[in-house]
Each structure stands twice: as structure tokens, then as C-alpha cells.
Amino acid sequence: TTMRARLLGFGSIEIDGTEYAHDVLIDGGKVRKRNKALSKPFRGSLGHTPLSMAEDIPWGGHQLIVGTGVDGALPVLPDVQQEAARRGITLVALPTDEACELVESLDQRDVRAILHITC
């Protein structure tokens, strides 16, 4: 089975009929809130809180989908890219509306994603 995922607009996403007003993680079909506060110390000069290894990243599959926001502005730190490469996981970072399309194309058991719903 596949998951239904769509970005409703800035700050709002719908996964399988449930609306979320915060960033989400999808780990093998289970949805939970992204704790981006863990990456706040890395914000620095980036202008946005990035995705960093400080967060709980769902590494379990063959690929990790990162929805980089409405405008694609979420920075993904090099340590996340390096860890994905070390684990042999394809890191796919693209604007969240496109990331939702990719989520919908996969079996939900294969979905590992972090979806950012602002910027």
C-alpha cells in the first residue's frame, strides 16, 4: 500500500488524511513529529535551522527523502550527507511538494522521510 502525502500550503501537510501543522518524519509508514530543536545550535549563518545528525533520522531504508520546504530552503548539513553515503543510503533532497509525490510512489514500508513544511 502507498501513503497519501500532500503539502497543503505553507506550514501545513496532510498524510493519509491527517493534517499536521509541523514538520514530520515518516519511518516505514509511521508518522511522528520532527524534533528540529535538536538542530537549532547549527543554525548560525544559514538563516534556517538545518537538518543535522543531532536529530533522530529514520535511516532504515534504501533511501532517505528530505522535503526541503515550500521554497526548498532547508539546509541539509554535510554530516547527514556523509552518514547517508556511509550507510549506502540514497539521500534525495527536493522541495516538499515534490518529496510528497515521491512518498506516494513508494510502498509505505519503504518510506523514510523528513518533510519540512515552511520555508
Side-chain angles (χ1 to χ4, degrees):
T1 56
T2 58
M3 300 185 89
R4 290 181 48 245
R6 66 192 181 110
L7 186 64
L8 298 175
F10 192 88
S12 186
I13 193 167
E14 184 180 273
I15 311 282
D16 287 340
T18 301
E19 197 172 321
Y20 299 90
H22 53 72
D23 290 5
V24 296
L25 264 101
I26 303 173
D27 191 351
K30 298 191 174 34
V31 180
R32 63 184 191 269
K33 184 175 182 175
R34 172 186 171 217
N35 185 358
K36 65 183 181 182
L38 297 171
S39 287
K40 263 224 187 339
F42 303 100
R43 181 177 174 138
S45 61
L46 297 170
H48 297 282
T49 299
L51 177 63
S52 78
M53 286 297 295
E55 293 185 43
D56 176 21
I57 296 175
W59 290 116
H62 301 293
Q63 75 176 349
L64 175 64
I65 302 165
V66 179
T68 55
V70 174
D71 299 321
L74 174 75
V76 179
L77 291 187
D79 63 350
V80 175
Q81 297 164 5
Q82 289 159 2
E83 182 62 15
R86 188 186 73 75
R87 291 172 179 254
I89 293 171
T90 305
L91 180 68
V92 184
L94 65 181
T96 299
D97 56 348
E98 294 173 41
C100 286
E101 290 174 23
L102 185 54
V103 164
E104 290 190 329
S105 74
L106 301 170
D107 185 292
Q108 70 179 18
R109 292 169 302 191
D110 295 330
V111 176
R112 303 292 183 282
I114 298 171
L115 302 174
H116 180 56
I117 62 168
T118 56
C119 72

